[in-house]
Amino acid sequence: MSRSASEIDTTPPFNFIYGRYKLSEWEIPYFTTSLTFRDAARSLQLTSEMPGGENVKWTLAELYQRDINWARVEDQIVPYLKNLDRPQFFNSITVALLPLDRNKGEILDSFSETEEWILPNFDSSFSFGKQLDIGPIKFGFWDSWLNVDDPEFQIGKMLWNRDQVFPVAIDGQHRLAAIKDLIEISASDDKVIKSRVPIIFVLFDPRLGFKTPNPDETIVSILRRLFIDLNKHAMTVRRGRQILLDDQDPTARCVRALVANGLEDGLAGLKTIPPYIPLSLTDWHSEQAKFDEGPYVTTILGLDWIVLKALGIKPISDWTDYTGVRNQIDRLQKALQIDLAEASDRLDQAEEVDQTPFTYSNDDLDHIVKAFKSMWVAPIVDVITSLRPYKAVIDRREADDSLSVEFQQWFKLFEERDSGKHSQDSYQSFLRRMRTAPTPRSENHFTENLGKISTIKGHSGNLEYSVIFQKAVFFALIEYVKVTQPDYDAFVFWLNNGDYDDESDTGDPNFDFDLPESAEPDTSSHPVKADLPPNDSWTSALSPAIATSGFDVQAFRYRNRALEFVKYFNVVCDALPSLMGTAVACRPDENNQHYFWLGSLRNSQGTIDFSEGAAKRAGDLIFLIVAVGFYAAHLPAEPEVDFEDIWADLSSNPGPSFLKRTERAIQRLSAESGISGRIAKIQDEEYDEQVAYNEIYVRVAALWNALNP
């Protein structure tokens, strides 16, 4: 049975002054007013207060909008408001009025006239010249008007049905949270009750003058734009938040192409084309790059670093730095094989008008993201989810059903539970709901699953779950994807024939997978080679029809190389399980241990070196790990080859391009600036070229011996 207007939960009538921004193709209407602290606390909401929010598969934008730093609220903002020795003043809070279905606990697409709205009524004492109904919101104007541009439209009163409107703060959430907290602890304080805070209501409805160049754009996406812009201009936006919300930064857009758009159960995203990393595997909320503890195998900040390195660009903080922007555009064109001539022209125009910030157009950004998806998304996802250490965590989580939305929500609250009273209350409230859910879950259920993941990640001496190791992996991958298909073909042919056609080793990819019969490796008896996929199976990883443009060729090659990279790295890891420990030694002797990672990820104290230089040196080592696995997989079973010959090939052979890459890696590692030089310094010895060379020799020998016991 429907309720009458007199029975519904109605806000007080608020005075308003109407305004509208109409500086572009967008027109954004707003209503300025002021509310008492009490009315603000009762009538306005944080996104975390949405009914049934724990069951909603929030998008990334919504997840960040509902994220409150309660420690900041309780320790900084509330004490500021309570300080009697200083003046207090808040800027206005911007609040979006959203259509709400409270029964379903979800935001609707619009205040459509087809929905069943229940309208409140003004008190009969008000004498309006005209009234306007927008869904469950009623506006009263003192004088009649014909359109929204009339002066008579600018002043009046408004109220709404609380059950059908979700008034969410999109700017000033922490201010609103502080007001709510202050009202709770000082509900009888007359000064608190009578204080008023300025409010700006925004309402995206054409009947109020709202216009958008894209009629299909959703309310949430519009909020997302306003949210990042408001926060970006009000204060410095944390990098993690900017990555997840900024639609105008090409790096941020590319990072978001790598991850799911919201919370979801399971690993379905790994099987889409292109794939993406579920948020259950990605730390999107903590603003940390490390993931050595917890359930994740990467982080948003880590993915940001990977994207920047893959594209060879630097982040832009000042969009009037025209030289920096021009360098970024040039590097994006080269890295992604795309044409950004229009962006370059607009940059020239911006530079002519001094201090005019450059912005990428939507077409530019779509072009960049499309190319990045085709070229880099699958390789990056392959490595992060299939490399042996990361796959172990994912398999454990899949077996324990800790990939559920419930576990993801629990872990975030669990991490934040000690940051303040509200965080602890939110955590306990979640646990109560879980105990009474259709499938009850206790705190022990979640903590036990987390403990199993921690057991896999092991102790601090393990490298594989350190952020610096993941950086090293991608330094190696970025080098490895440079191996073209002719490089591959020429190398396999050379292994089987002792010679190669350097005319064909040009670096220009081709798709002729039919090598000469004698060049096909014998995979019948070697354990490394037994499950090696045939070359032509790689094509199934990409689109059925591969074009011959440079862009498509490069995308095809990157996916091939990433699959190989994972394959051979895992093969070596399986053969040498201790490889990922800082204490693994490649050869003991009387005076010292030749620690495999010493001089790169292991420092002189035996702990992890987290410098980027260490990651680059380790990247060369990882490149050699993969190269040795690759070599072993393709070496003919007969005749048996001595390691000295293998070392000669890898370190100094003037053969195919693939071997030239291994030679350069060995030269960098054995140089005075490489790990050999650092080891000499650690051992307080003079750098000696032959000794330095031997340091790399014993490492490669340890890998080869593990594969060929």
Side-chain angles (χ1 to χ4, degrees), residues 310-323:
L311 298 179
I313 62 175
K314 295 180 179 179
I316 303 294
S317 57
D318 178 6
W319 292 96
T320 61
D321 174 11
Y322 305 117
T323 300

Side-chain angles (χ1 to χ4, degrees), residues 357-370:
F358 170 81
T359 57
Y360 286 99
S361 71
N362 287 334
D363 285 344
D364 296 336
L365 292 163
D366 289 344
H367 203 28
I368 291 166
V369 173
K370 181 179 179 182

Side-chain angles (χ1 to χ4, degrees), residues 654-707:
S657 296
F658 177 78
L659 293 179
K660 293 174 184 175
R661 296 188 186 281
T662 63
E663 179 186 6
R664 286 195 291 268
I666 290 170
Q667 288 175 345
R668 288 191 295 267
L669 289 170
S670 59
E672 191 167 1
S673 59
I675 67 170
S676 296
R678 296 183 69 84
I679 291 172
K681 190 175 294 185
I682 289 169
Q683 297 174 349
D684 198 24
E685 297 174 353
E686 290 292 325
Y687 172 79
D688 180 276
E689 187 174 348
Q690 187 56 47
V691 173
Y693 198 64
N694 186 60
E695 286 287 355
I696 313 307
Y697 173 93
V698 297
R699 283 161 173 75
V700 176
L703 299 172
W704 185 262
N705 292 335
L707 289 173

Side-chain angles (χ1 to χ4, degrees), residues 426-484:
S426 296
Y427 179 64
Q428 294 300 328
S429 176
F430 177 87
L431 292 178
R432 286 193 294 272
R433 290 194 297 273
M434 289 299 97
R435 286 194 292 268
T436 59
T439 304
R441 295 282 191 271
S442 67
E443 184 178 30
N444 284 343
H445 168 80
F446 295 116
T447 55
E448 285 175 5
N449 285 341
L450 184 60
K452 294 176 183 177
I453 299 166
S454 299
T455 299
I456 290 177
K457 288 197 170 181
H459 56 80
S460 59
N462 284 2
L463 294 168
E464 58 264 57
Y465 304 110
S466 65
V467 62
I468 202 67
F469 176 78
Q470 192 163 96
K471 287 183 177 182
V473 164
F474 278 93
F475 273 128
L477 178 70
I478 290 166
E479 177 67 15
Y480 193 78
V481 297
K482 296 174 184 176
V483 177
T484 66

